[in-house]
Amino acid sequence: MRPFPVFLAFGRLILAVSVLLGVPVHAQSNPKNVVATERTRAELLAHVPEGLEPGKPVWVGLQLAHQPDWHSYWKNSGDSGLPTRLEWTLPPGVVAGEVAWPMPRKYPIGTLINYGYADTVLLPVPLTITPDFKPPLFKDALDVKLKAQWLVCRKECIPEEGEFVLSLPVKSTTALHAAAFETSFAAQPQPLKGDARIQVDGNVLMVRVSGLPSAVTGQQLDFFPETAEVIETSGKWTQAWEGATWTAQVPLSPHRSQSPGVMRIVVTHGDKGWAAKAPVTGTWPATAAPAALSPALEEALRSNAAAGSAPSAGFGVALLAALLGGLILNLMPCVFPVLALKVVGFTKHAANQRARRADGLAYSAGVIVSFAALGALVAGLRAAGEQVGWGFQLQSPAFVAVLAALFTLIALNFAGLFEFRGFLPSRIASLEARHPVLNAFLSGVLAVAIASPCTAPFMGAALGTAVSLPFAQGVAVFVALGIGMALPYLAASWIPAVARVLPRPGEWMDTFRRFMAFPMFATVVWLLWVLGQQSGVDAVAALLTVLVTLGMAAWAFSLRGKVRIVLGGISLALLGGLVWAAGGQIATSGVVAAASSASTQVAGADGGWDAWQPGRVEQILATGRPVFVDFTAAWCVTCQYNKRTTLSDPEVLSDLGIKKVALLRADWTLRDPAITAALADLGRSGVPVYVLYKTGAPPKVLSEILSASELRQALAAL
């Protein structure tokens, strides 16, 4: 028995999910004064103790409450990180001042040292009410709007942002959060009563600070320059006391980009701190060249991005590459589960040439139509400004969960747990017999849905060109890909010699069908692993519970009599509740878990790999080191194969070390517009993509199925 009713129901569901869940949804702007995430709770606060009048103190501020082990950054973030950015929208006559930054702390991360805040911090900003301010005519409140961006880090770093609106009453005071503002004011460094001076001595800053309170004389102090990119934050520095004068020798950063004539500095001791403007004497060494694209790299990226702009030769080559890529796609492990289904069905038509050919045509039509629809969807979304590419539907945890449920039912059916004809109404159960062509067509649709995690040779360049071609030509490339994928099965269904080779139907088919349940279960295991990378272990546990209940429901409805009604009703009710609960778990944890998982994987299990970030390649190239970037995704089977073979090869790793190649990994498991844009710059629209960068040379894009010999040859040419 082929699971046709499941194909009919789930085939339509897959298409709907790929449209509804593959399309990123942008929530309507809903400004408020609180934004909460898994890591921080951000709130816009106000302190107006004397009312909104010119000359009166008016304060607003962003309060960040961090979860344990997370921190955000000071105005100078240190070796890495980014300071919190506040963008105010205020009515005429109201002016926002600078952030009154509380004293920071030092946070070591590996060999780096950053400056920032943990626990709860309030960043207060003074508002000046000028005489030009006129209260609204029909509203007794002043609306303060804030768009804030902050970076929170633990071992991984996640950018966050929020839009806030706070209405301040014009004719009354606001002092509800007075304690929070007073705590923040108390954490401000006090103006230094003495004198601070800095002298540049080679590659060292000689700092002298006098006028500090006698209580700290002889004590160890911390030193924070407000100007970023001057000192080597994690470098070894020394301090000493010369009587009542505190001195320090601080190394300059080899990548210094600033040469200030006056440096604002903060020195701290415990919860006390002092701020000063220190004039700088001496001659600054030459600054490092800013990290920027080399002319050759810039030209190569520009050429790659425009690769599809000439529709003549580029279009023809893309069609041929797509056809070859579709043919090879049949050899990829992603397509194997669906081919197993087709093998079971193909043997049924071994003696019926007409049925065999109809099946081949319908399956091919399903593949080609699905590729055309997918190409049109991708082209339409990109035209609307969305950053999507090959395999984008598998970036949705919900889509992965639907596929896992589908393959669980198929596996249980193959294993003999239930038969569709045994528990479905006869009118529905007979659909397979009445509409075998539709069944074959939906098999082709499913094959395309499952094929998306794999990228075959020639496909990367073809799809990269397709997304930059005009709409009709871009869809034509996807159609060529579908023709290539369908061609072997279509040829087999029409060539009589193939039918003569096939074994005749018999008892062996039932054994073969039960055996094929195991590849289906293996596919479910892989999909669960993908979901774990996207949404975390809690989402996997929730989906496993749903799958177990789904299996129970399928078994219950295969029974007969009253027990079928009782157990079937119970299992359906339980399944409905679990689907509702698991859906919320998968949807709410996806972005958080994926970002954390991606960063943890790169920093932990992969050793020398660092997370790719926009501009990171150019920064490393500016130091003279070559860079190798692995654009990957957890759902990409080809990526995982390459990672466990070529990218783990001892000789490859040795060559990378000898050449001092910086290793970056760009994780595309969930939607990341920055990574999508980087792929487009390279003329690609999906993963895997492997790129070797060298200063003064164009990027070298390697094969999708990466061999150790190819990578070692590219490294030898550095």
Side-chain angles (χ1 to χ4, degrees):
M1 295 289 178
R2 282 186 294 178
F4 167 73
V6 169
F7 276 6
L8 185 60
F10 273 85
R12 294 173 180 171
L13 182 58
I14 284 173
L15 292 179
V17 168
S18 66
V19 172
L20 296 178
L21 298 179
V23 180
V25 178
H26 297 284
Q28 295 295 321
S29 178
N30 183 27
K32 51 188 177 181
N33 69 324
V34 176
V35 172
T37 70
E38 297 287 332
R39 298 156 296 278
T40 60
R41 181 184 185 276
E43 183 175 4
L44 177 59
L45 305 180
H47 181 54
V48 190
E50 301 179 32
L52 288 171
E53 297 180 11
K56 300 296 185 180
V58 178
W59 289 89
V60 291
L62 182 68
Q63 184 181 70
L64 295 175
H66 306 82
Q67 290 296 322
D69 300 326
W70 292 89
H71 64 269
S72 56
Y73 292 92
W74 188 48
K75 62 189 305 182
N76 174 8
S77 57
D79 279 325
S80 62
L82 292 170
T84 299
R85 294 182 55 187
L86 307 179
E87 299 178 11
W88 302 94
T89 301
L90 302 169
V94 181
V95 180
E98 297 294 327
V99 177
W101 296 90
M103 291 178 295
R105 289 182 51 199
K106 293 183 178 180
Y107 294 93
I109 300 180
T111 59
L112 306 179
I113 293 180
N114 296 329
Y115 304 150
Y117 309 101
D119 302 323
T120 299
V121 63
L122 173 63
L123 306 179
V125 173
L127 296 185
T128 300
I129 309 298
T130 70
D132 297 330
F133 170 66
K134 297 188 184 333
L137 291 177
F138 303 104
K139 187 177 181 181
D140 293 332
L142 182 155
D143 285 340
V144 176
K145 298 181 181 180
L146 169 65
K147 183 176 182 180
Q149 298 174 324
W150 60 96
L151 184 70
V152 288
C153 296
R154 188 170 52 184
K155 291 182 180 178
E156 66 275 17
C157 292
I158 299 176
E160 297 183 341
E161 62 180 11
E163 294 186 9
F164 307 81
V165 168
L166 193 61
S167 294
L168 305 181
V170 174
K171 298 181 179 180
S172 62
T173 62
T174 301
L176 180 63
H177 302 288
F181 279 90
E182 292 300 329
T183 299
S184 181
F185 296 153
Q188 306 289 320
Q190 302 301 309
L192 181 68
K193 296 182 179 179
D195 181 53
R197 295 186 177 276
I198 295 177
Q199 180 180 357
V200 180
D201 186 5
N203 290 317
V204 176
L205 291 184
M206 311 294 291
V207 183
R208 297 182 64 86
V209 179
S210 59
L212 292 166
S214 59
V216 301
T217 301
Q219 303 294 321
Q220 295 289 304
L221 306 182
D222 268 327
F223 173 75
F224 300 91
E226 293 190 8
T227 307
E229 299 180 352
V230 173
I231 71 167
E232 187 175 358
T233 308
S234 54
K236 184 177 180 181
W237 64 290
T238 61
Q239 58 177 297
W241 286 89
E242 296 179 2
T245 300
W246 179 79
T247 66
Q249 298 184 22
V250 184
L252 291 175
S253 170
H255 310 297
R256 178 180 57 84
S257 61
Q258 306 284 339
S259 302
V262 176
M263 283 186 64
R264 293 177 177 268
I265 63 172
V266 174
V267 291
T268 65
H269 181 262
D271 59 354
K272 302 293 183 182
W274 302 267
K277 294 181 180 179
V280 180
T281 59
T283 302
W284 289 99
T287 57
L293 286 172
S294 67
L297 177 58
E298 190 173 30
E299 177 61 29
L301 293 178
R302 189 183 302 112
S303 299
N304 280 330
S309 58
S312 53
F315 178 53
V317 172
L319 286 176
L320 179 59
L323 186 66
L324 292 174
L327 283 167
I328 301 174
L329 192 60
N330 288 284
L331 304 177
M332 297 292 103
C334 312
V335 188
F336 177 75
V338 175
L339 290 183
L341 296 177
K342 296 309 298 175
V343 168
V344 173
F346 206 76
T347 55
K348 291 186 176 183
H349 305 309
N352 190 332
Q353 178 176 325
R354 181 179 179 183
R356 189 174 67 252
R357 290 181 173 180
D359 188 90
L361 286 172
Y363 172 80
S364 301
V367 170
I368 295 170
V369 169
S370 297
F371 266 111
L374 185 60
L377 180 61
V378 170
L381 290 175
R382 293 183 73 93
E386 300 293 345
Q387 296 290 337
V388 295
W390 174 249
F392 74 97
Q393 63 270 39
L394 282 166
Q395 293 174 327
S396 165
F399 185 85
V400 174
V402 169
L403 285 183
L406 170 62
F407 276 98
T408 298
L409 281 176
I410 294 174
L412 293 175
N413 173 253
F414 274 24
L417 179 70
F418 69 94
E419 296 292 344
F420 290 107
R421 295 180 185 274
F423 68 88
L424 291 172
S426 59
R427 183 174 62 87
I428 298 177
S430 63
L431 283 176
E432 180 180 10
R434 290 187 287 118
H435 300 287
V437 171
L438 182 58
N439 187 25
F441 179 88
L442 290 174
S443 298
V445 174
L446 183 62
V448 175
I450 291 299
S452 52
C454 282
T455 300
F458 303 105
M459 273 183 60
L463 295 177
T465 302
V467 297
S468 61
L469 287 170
F471 180 86
Q473 293 180 347
V475 173
V477 173
F478 275 85
V479 170
L481 184 62
I483 293 174
M485 182 176 175
L487 200 56
Y489 191 82
L490 180 64
S493 66
W494 280 76
I495 297 175
V498 175
R500 289 193 293 269
V501 174
L502 290 174
R504 296 296 180 236
E507 293 183 0
W508 70 269
M509 290 179 59
D510 184 65
T511 302
F512 181 75
R513 190 189 76 161
R514 294 177 187 273
F515 170 76
M516 292 312 299
F518 295 100
M520 302 300 143
F521 282 124
T523 303
V524 175
V525 172
W526 168 68
L527 289 168
L528 287 168
W529 178 81
V530 171
L531 182 66
Q533 299 298 304
Q534 293 176 323
S535 298
V537 66
D538 290 343
V540 173
L543 180 57
L544 278 171
T545 306
V546 170
L547 296 182
V548 171
T549 310
L550 180 65
M552 184 180 74
W555 166 77
F557 279 99
S558 68
L559 302 175
R560 299 184 180 278
K562 293 183 179 180
V563 67
R564 164 179 170 158
I565 299 175
V566 175
L567 290 180
I570 293 174
S571 61
L572 276 184
L574 183 59
L575 180 63
L578 289 174
V579 167
W580 180 81
Q585 176 70 37
I586 292 171
T588 55
S589 62
V591 174
V592 173
S596 175
S597 173
S599 299
T600 302
Q601 275 190 343
V602 170
D606 296 334
W609 292 86
D610 291 325
W612 178 93
Q613 293 178 347
R616 182 62 178 151
V617 171
E618 291 76 27
Q619 291 176 356
I620 297 175
L621 288 176
T623 67
R625 293 182 65 190
V627 183
F628 179 75
V629 180
D630 171 17
F631 290 89
T632 184
W635 42 260
C636 171
V637 176
T638 312
C639 303
Q640 302 306 318
Y641 172 79
N642 290 335
K643 181 178 176 182
R644 284 161 175 75
T645 54
T646 300
L647 297 182
S648 298
D649 185 282
E651 294 182 340
V652 169
L653 295 176
S654 175
D655 289 351
L656 289 168
I658 292 172
K659 296 292 186 177
K660 297 182 179 179
V661 178
L663 305 177
L664 300 181
R665 181 157 282 151
D667 194 319
W668 207 43
T669 300
L670 289 183
R671 286 192 69 250
D672 189 322
I675 294 179
T676 308
L679 290 170
D681 287 340
L682 294 164
R684 297 293 188 268
S685 67
V687 292
V689 174
Y690 304 100
V691 191
L692 192 59
Y693 297 87
K694 178 184 177 183
T695 303
K700 182 176 180 59
V701 180
L702 305 177
S703 301
E704 289 91 347
I705 301 180
L706 188 63
S707 67
S709 59
E710 179 187 9
L711 181 52
R712 294 191 68 193
Q713 183 178 359
L715 292 172
L718 291 176

